[in-house]
Amino acid sequence: METREAAERFVRVWERAWAVHDVDALLELYAERCVHRSMPFREPHRGRAELAAYLRRSFTQERVTDVRFSPPLVGPDGVAVAEFRVLADEDGIASALAGCVFARFDDAGLAVETRDYWHMADGHREPTEKLFFF
């Protein structure tokens, strides 16, 4: 599978599945031995089982009201990046999460490595200027 096709599928599924906390749909995007880093200084989640546990734990208190991903920007060697923005309520408190995900895909179009960089803010709000860079 071409990187562009894999990346477009990745953001499309993430946008839909995050909104309803569909962990199984998200896991189908990843290779069995994937490595996911949720923040730069956290230990990575290795393999689908660790990723599934992280996602389920992350979704426990979250009630999503809106999820948006930018179109992916595709680079060389199976790498793509996309920005995202999520509005949610956790324990009755409104929050906004904005960030980006870098993904490397194998020839089958599965994510073998992903890295997230994100920031949270209080309230339901958009990032300053325009929502997405590209």
Side-chain angles (χ1 to χ4, degrees):
M1 178 181 291
E2 294 293 320
T3 302
R4 177 160 306 285
E5 182 182 355
E8 288 172 351
R9 180 186 63 170
F10 187 86
V11 299
R12 186 176 59 248
V13 171
W14 257 101
E15 191 171 78
R16 180 191 56 76
W18 193 341
V20 296
H21 297 158
D22 187 346
V23 172
D24 292 334
L26 294 172
L27 293 177
E28 290 178 15
L29 297 170
Y30 292 83
E32 186 62 42
R33 299 184 70 183
C34 64
V35 177
H36 171 73
R37 188 174 296 276
S38 62
M39 289 288 282
F41 300 109
R42 288 183 183 169
E43 287 298 313
H45 307 100
R46 297 184 184 281
R48 280 187 183 169
E50 284 188 18
L51 177 58
Y54 165 71
L55 292 172
R56 288 188 177 100
R57 190 172 55 252
S58 296
F59 292 159
T60 300
Q61 301 297 320
E62 178 184 78
R63 188 181 66 75
V64 174
T65 59
D66 191 49
V67 178
R68 297 197 190 164
F69 274 74
S70 72
L73 181 62
V74 177
D77 301 320
V79 175
V81 63
E83 290 180 282
F84 56 85
R85 193 273 289 132
V86 179
L87 302 180
D89 295 312
E90 291 194 40
D91 297 323
I93 300 171
S95 66
L97 183 146
C100 57
V101 57
F102 290 80
R104 182 182 311 279
F105 300 95
D106 64 15
D107 291 339
L110 297 175
V112 293
E113 181 182 4
T114 55
R115 297 179 186 185
D116 291 345
Y117 297 90
W118 51 269
H119 182 77
M120 289 187 75
D122 293 334
H124 289 170
R125 61 187 191 167
E126 301 295 342
T128 57
E129 300 298 324
K130 62 186 206 176
L131 179 58
F132 297 124
F133 185 69
F134 45 87

